[in-house]
Amino acid sequence: MPDTRPQSARARGACIEHAACLWLSQQGLRLVASNQATKGGELDLIMRHGDTLVFVEVRHRSSNRFGTPAETVTPTKQRRLIKAARIFHRYQRRSASMWLVK
């Protein structure tokens, strides 16, 4: 049976982000934007759950041998994500309709 997994790390990451987005959509969240680069860093998925804007960092590990995906989100990474989310939110408030993916 041929291996149908994407070969590059970037392609695998895109597939995993897509799967995460589909799963979250099935849970009732709506996609607002994905892979948004800001001065603070990149935001993988930005979703809306009711009135709440949800920033999703997608992490994947092929095994937990060197730690779980959650353990890879270091305090430094958390600060970058918070900064990126604040920048995104500031611009999103200025033109809310521009960010909505239909």
Side-chain angles (χ1 to χ4, degrees), residues 1-18:
M1 176 179 253
D3 187 1
T4 58
R5 292 179 300 168
Q7 296 305 305
S8 74
R10 182 169 295 211
R12 279 193 306 274
C15 285
I16 292 164
E17 283 183 14
H18 180 71

Side-chain angles (χ1 to χ4, degrees), residues 14 16-36 42-50 52-58 88 92 96-102:
I16 292 164
E17 283 183 14
H18 180 71
C21 185
L22 286 175
W23 187 84
L24 290 166
S25 295
Q26 292 169 351
Q27 307 311 306
L29 283 79
R30 260 186 35 213
L31 180 65
V32 173
S34 62
N35 299 314
Q36 292 295 304
E42 184 182 13
L43 299 165
D44 293 338
L45 298 172
I46 301 142
M47 304 189 84
R48 185 167 294 284
H49 188 252
T52 304
L53 201 55
V54 180
F55 297 91
V56 181
E57 173 68 9
V58 179
F88 177 85
Q92 191 263 348
S97 62
M98 182 176 126
W99 298 103
L100 185 60
V101 175
K102 297 182 181 183

Side-chain angles (χ1 to χ4, degrees), residues 53-70:
L53 201 55
V54 180
F55 297 91
V56 181
E57 173 68 9
V58 179
R59 307 296 273 191
H60 175 267
R61 301 302 281 271
S62 56
S63 80
N64 290 340
R65 184 175 175 195
F66 298 107
T68 66

